[in-house]
Amino acid sequence: MEKPYSIEQAKSTLYNILKEFADFCDAHHLRYYLAYGTMLGAVRHGGFIPWDDDVDVMMPEKDFFMMKKLYRSSKFTLDICYNDPTILLAMGRMYDNSTYGINGRRHTLGLAIDIYLMYGSPRGEDAVDEHIRLIKRYTDLGLKYKKWGNGLYHRYLLPESNFLLRISKHYYQKRVEEYQKYPLEEGDYIFITTDRRRYKREFFEKRVKKFFVDREFYVPAGWHECLTIRYHDYMKLPPEEDRKIRHLSTMFYDKMPAYTEIEERGYVKLATSQG
């Protein structure tokens, strides 16, 4: 087997996916923003955080499904994570079709950027607090059963679709349905898949551009407030011992071998009526 991608090769591939994604969004008037560590990298480093190894963007769910409907490419695939059998989360991804990954005994789809979906909120602080409580409950239960299910899978070689992972899927699905109760235009706050924090709507009403690697990409006009909520003192570097590569436990390679088959499993689904 060929040598797996280095971190720099992976970043280069991810950056090419990001450019493809942003160019398509701009050409079709679809909203997106750099998110999380990628937004932080743009603000603090002008590019990738040196010890980061992924790319995060966010966009309204409606815009994602419109892009899913319009986008066609032989080089990249835009998809929802439930079609990747190794991921229980419900969010979008754009994959580089020329790559594939191996994580332990599992073959995965290739290198991809993560696309977090944006929703609105209920009206009234008590209702928002209850919304957050439910998101936290479904997240914690999903993670608990996922951990147990993965332990059985790795220790006893049970099928990855064992009953504990099916229970985990159920709670992740409940979380998605809780988000989808509130369209982006509703309420005073914005919620983002996999994130239980509340962000004021005003942070996202306008977009500005920040330099990332060698060109500009959109971030929320309230990027300072978003980063402060997520990272607190975000310009302060973490201790050296915490500056570690976190995501590339999967080894990525060029070209999916012909003998590999990705087993279809029923993972968390997003209702697509919005698109």
Side-chain angles (χ1 to χ4, degrees):
M1 180 177 290
E2 72 271 23
K3 187 177 179 180
Y5 275 27
S6 68
I7 182 62
E8 294 308 319
Q9 286 176 300
K11 285 183 177 181
S12 177
T13 300
L14 290 170
Y15 183 55
N16 287 334
I17 303 172
L18 175 62
K19 290 188 289 184
E20 171 76 5
F21 170 83
D23 288 345
F24 188 89
C25 287
D26 291 344
H28 292 82
H29 308 290
L30 301 173
R31 282 180 293 167
Y32 80 89
Y33 313 81
L34 299 185
Y36 301 126
T38 307
M39 188 191 338
L40 176 59
V43 170
R44 194 172 68 190
H45 302 272
F48 284 94
I49 297 172
W51 51 92
D52 200 8
D53 55 1
D54 69 343
V55 167
D56 301 322
V57 297
M58 54 187 163
M59 70 189 308
E61 187 195 60
K62 183 177 180 180
D63 290 46
F64 172 79
F65 281 117
M66 179 58 68
M67 184 173 181
K68 182 82 168 62
K69 180 178 180 180
L70 297 174
Y71 186 75
R72 297 292 181 272
S73 171
S74 60
K75 186 173 182 181
F76 302 100
T77 295
L78 182 71
D79 213 342
I80 300 169
C81 274
Y82 68 79
N83 285 335
D84 183 335
T86 67
I87 300 171
L88 278 165
L89 302 177
M91 60 186 187
R93 277 190 167 176
M94 180 177 272
Y95 295 90
D96 184 318
N97 295 336
S98 68
T99 65
Y100 76 101
I102 298 177
N103 187 337
R105 300 187 331 280
R106 299 179 299 184
H107 287 260
T108 76
L109 302 179
L111 280 162
I113 65 170
D114 293 332
I115 306 170
Y116 295 93
L117 306 184
M118 302 167 63
Y119 301 91
S121 70
R123 298 188 183 277
E125 293 299 320
D126 289 344
V128 171
D129 289 342
E130 176 64 10
H131 183 52
I132 293 172
R133 187 191 71 80
L134 289 172
I135 291 170
K136 182 179 187 300
R137 171 176 170 78
Y138 297 143
T139 300
D140 291 345
L141 287 168
L143 287 171
K144 179 173 73 172
Y145 283 102
K146 180 184 178 183
K147 181 179 179 181
W148 291 348
N150 282 339
L152 285 175
Y153 172 63
H154 289 295
R155 188 171 181 180
Y156 299 108
L157 306 183
L158 293 179
E160 195 175 13
S161 55
N162 66 58
F163 73 98
L164 290 172
L165 289 183
R166 290 199 297 272
I167 297 173
S168 178
K169 171 201 166 183
H170 166 76
Y171 286 114
Y172 278 111
Q173 186 69 53
K174 295 287 287 184
R175 182 179 68 175
V176 170
E177 292 168 359
E178 181 64 24
Y179 282 122
Q180 290 185 325
K181 287 179 182 178
Y182 306 102
L184 186 70
E185 298 75 17
E186 188 171 333
D188 296 326
Y189 298 101
I190 298 296
F191 283 85
I192 305 162
T193 47
T194 77
D195 193 340
R196 63 189 73 171
R197 301 170 186 85
R198 67 184 87 186
Y199 298 88
K200 289 184 178 179
R201 174 175 301 281
E202 64 198 54
F203 300 163
F204 300 92
E205 288 177 347
K206 294 182 180 180
R207 298 187 297 171
V208 297
K209 287 190 172 183
K210 288 288 183 181
F211 197 79
F212 186 84
V213 182
D214 63 5
R215 58 174 276 187
E216 291 182 318
F217 296 89
Y218 282 111
V219 299
W223 56 265
H224 168 72
E225 291 81 1
C226 290
L227 290 175
T228 300
I229 290 170
R230 180 67 176 84
Y231 300 104
H232 306 296
D233 187 6
Y234 61 84
M235 293 302 290
K236 182 179 179 180
L237 295 177
E240 286 194 23
E241 60 270 21
D242 293 338
R243 302 176 195 177
K244 298 176 181 177
I245 302 298
R246 296 177 296 114
H247 297 99
L248 282 184
S249 56
T250 299
M251 295 184 294
F252 290 98
Y253 301 85
D254 287 326
K255 299 179 183 178
M256 176 72 80
Y259 58 81
T260 300
E261 293 183 3
I262 300 295
E263 180 184 347
E264 266 191 50
R265 302 178 179 93
Y267 275 62
V268 178
K269 296 186 178 182
L270 289 163
T272 58
S273 59
Q274 296 87 338

